[in-house]
Amino acid sequence: MSPDARTAAKEGAEVRRLRPRGSSQGGLRQYNERVVLQAIRLHGALPGAEIARVTHLTAQTVSLITKRLLDDGLLLKGTPQRGKVGQPSVPLALDPDGAFAVGVKIGRRSIDVLLVDFVGTVRQRWSRSYRYPEAGALLAFIDECLAELRSTLPEAWLPRVQGLGIAIPFSLGGWRTLLDMPPEVGEAWQAIDFAAEVQRLSDWPVTLMKDTAAACVAELVAGRGRSISSFLYVFLATFVGGGLVLDSHLRSGLHGNAGAIGSMPLGLPAAGQASPAQLLSEASLLQLEQRFAQAGLALEAAGDERALQAPWWPITSAWLASTGAAIALAINSAACLLDIENVIIDGSIPAALRDALRQATEQALDRYDWQGVTRPQLLPGTIGSDARALGGALLPLHANFAPDRALFLKAEGG
């Protein structure tokens, strides 16, 4: 792609973003456009009259807005619905080709790069596994992926890419011992501004978020968050982490660590003794891998269905019991402090193993005294291993097309 074409792509992307137009009237129009898009995203294809009912906008306002959005290529007309008195209604849906975003998940064992369309479908995927994350190698891989994206995506669609979101663990270089990472690799992470380095490679704005918080964004925007407004999110990968959603808002906290359940202690500190272990030391796929390795079994089974089969199952069963007990302690503490109604458990694990973990956690919660506090409902996540990269891609899409007050329109009866 030529420099002139890349400049044109950037300028075109700026035009397509639904941003305030420099006046209070323009800002209101932009906000109402986002409200209409969000209503269709949450409810599915809707005719104009139904959009007006859901959004509480007038029929005339909805007509003007949807015409602009159709002209901008953000909406599609469906098949007219006949059978009622008057003119047939025409349902309007999001155009999957109307906008795109790139999501990057930097993991402790692998990297995923996704191209996601306007309705959240993954269009392209690039992945690579490694023994430990080395910043320079990861930047080179991202550069390769973006170069391939520029060459394969139709040139007319390049201005529709809204941005690149990075989901990455905080303090990635701080896990040198657990990940058997060379000291110089960990030190490189301490010295690099990774988002700034990716921005040098990208034609589009780059944002960065903690990986488990990004996974929580995916569940909030594209999963159960469409029907429930508050939940604690638990995501199990190499280590356990989480996120906190209250009133349909992801709560990051003062230092971005709200919902960081991996750092919760598993006991009381005793005088003269070492600090109690943290949750992540017990609840982690790394711990399961180590148990398999000690038994002389393939540790890769921790990430597939073999974990639930012989000869891995007895080890997995013991791990599930201890991990479920540790997560239950965190859930009980969160319920006492936040009075949360729902807990969503997901992870970079097969659905069957996730469900077994949820069952083990339920059994551990049975052993708590719930007098004076309401026991939360445990729900399975809906996204799975793609949650972190998908959440990264949803960041620019949400920033450019969702209402400024975030996700406040809920499907009725959901």
Side-chain angles (χ1 to χ4, degrees):
M1 187 176 184
S2 68
D4 289 344
R6 292 177 67 171
T7 299
K10 289 184 179 181
E11 292 174 349
E14 289 297 322
V15 171
R16 294 182 62 82
R17 294 188 185 108
L18 297 181
R19 292 183 174 177
R21 293 168 171 80
S23 68
S24 59
Q25 183 178 2
L28 177 61
R29 185 172 72 173
Q30 174 258 3
Y31 177 76
N32 287 339
E33 288 173 347
R34 291 180 176 219
V35 168
V36 168
L37 289 171
Q38 187 68 7
I40 296 173
R41 185 177 298 279
L42 291 174
H43 294 263
L46 295 173
E50 192 65 14
I51 294 173
R53 186 187 70 81
V54 170
T55 61
H56 305 291
L57 297 171
T58 67
Q60 181 181 11
T61 298
V62 169
S63 177
L64 292 172
I65 289 174
T66 54
K67 183 180 185 304
R68 287 198 300 268
L69 295 176
L70 284 164
D71 291 342
D72 289 342
L74 296 172
L75 293 182
L76 285 174
K77 288 184 177 181
T79 303
Q81 304 295 311
R82 305 180 185 277
K84 296 183 179 180
V85 177
Q87 294 292 326
S89 61
V90 179
L92 300 173
L94 300 180
D95 186 342
D97 297 337
F100 300 91
V102 179
V104 178
K105 182 268 303 187
I106 305 294
R108 297 174 176 89
R109 299 295 192 196
S110 64
I111 178 174
D112 295 309
V113 180
L114 307 180
L115 175 68
V116 176
D117 67 21
F118 197 33
V119 298
T121 301
V122 177
R123 294 290 192 92
Q124 288 182 264
R125 176 194 304 272
W126 300 266
S127 300
R128 180 169 294 177
S129 299
Y130 39 76
R131 182 177 177 184
Y132 48 79
E134 195 276 309
L138 293 177
L139 288 170
F141 180 69
I142 293 171
D143 194 23
E144 293 173 11
C145 296
L146 295 181
E148 184 176 341
L149 173 61
R150 295 186 197 102
S151 65
T152 57
L153 197 67
E155 189 163 329
W157 287 6
L158 287 173
R160 304 181 187 186
V161 180
Q162 302 298 306
L164 185 153
I166 304 171
I168 186 170
F170 284 179
S171 303
L172 187 56
W175 308 102
R176 293 196 296 266
T177 302
L178 285 174
L179 296 178
D180 192 25
M181 186 187 301
E184 63 273 13
V185 173
E187 291 167 2
W189 279 109
Q190 303 296 335
I192 194 173
D193 183 339
F194 196 77
E197 293 301 319
V198 174
Q199 185 64 78
R200 298 177 193 275
L201 308 174
S202 173
D203 301 326
W204 309 288
V206 172
T207 55
L208 184 145
M209 177 177 277
K210 186 171 66 172
D211 59 339
T212 50
C216 189
V217 166
E219 193 67 49
L220 172 62
V221 175
R224 295 190 180 275
R226 295 157 65 98
S227 59
I228 60 177
S229 62
S230 298
F231 55 89
L232 175 68
Y233 181 77
V234 179
F235 191 87
L236 187 75
T238 304
F239 299 117
V240 71
L244 178 63
V245 172
L246 299 176
D247 299 325
S248 295
H249 286 69
L250 177 69
R251 304 297 182 179
S252 58
L254 182 62
H255 302 101
N257 291 319
I261 61 171
S263 297
M264 295 183 72
L266 293 177
L268 295 172
Q273 296 183 359
S275 300
Q278 292 184 332
L279 175 61
L280 59 79
S281 68
E282 190 68 44
S284 72
L285 283 182
L286 180 64
Q287 224 268 348
L288 181 59
E289 290 175 358
Q290 291 174 343
R291 293 189 184 200
F292 286 162
Q294 290 169 2
L297 299 173
L299 55 86
E300 294 81 10
D304 58 46
E305 299 293 343
R306 288 177 294 172
L308 301 173
Q309 303 168 0
W312 291 272
W313 171 243
I315 299 172
T316 302
S317 180
W319 172 82
L320 285 169
S322 60
T323 298
I327 292 175
L329 175 59
I331 291 173
N332 178 263
S333 300
C336 293
L337 182 63
L338 299 170
D339 193 21
I340 51 174
E341 184 179 3
N342 301 284
V343 176
I344 297 175
I345 296 180
D346 208 352
S348 186
I349 52 178
L353 184 57
R354 177 207 61 203
D355 292 340
L357 176 60
R358 184 164 58 95
Q359 182 178 3
T361 305
E362 289 276 21
Q363 293 171 350
L365 289 173
D366 289 340
R367 299 194 289 270
Y368 283 88
D369 183 354
W370 293 97
Q371 184 174 352
V373 63
T374 301
R375 176 172 172 169
Q377 179 184 17
L378 299 193
L379 301 169
T382 61
I383 311 296
S385 59
D386 272 347
R388 292 165 291 179
L390 178 60
L394 289 173
L395 291 174
L397 288 177
H398 181 269
N400 291 327
F401 296 108
D404 294 338
R405 284 191 293 158
L407 304 173
F408 64 93
L409 288 170
K410 294 296 176 186
E412 293 180 4

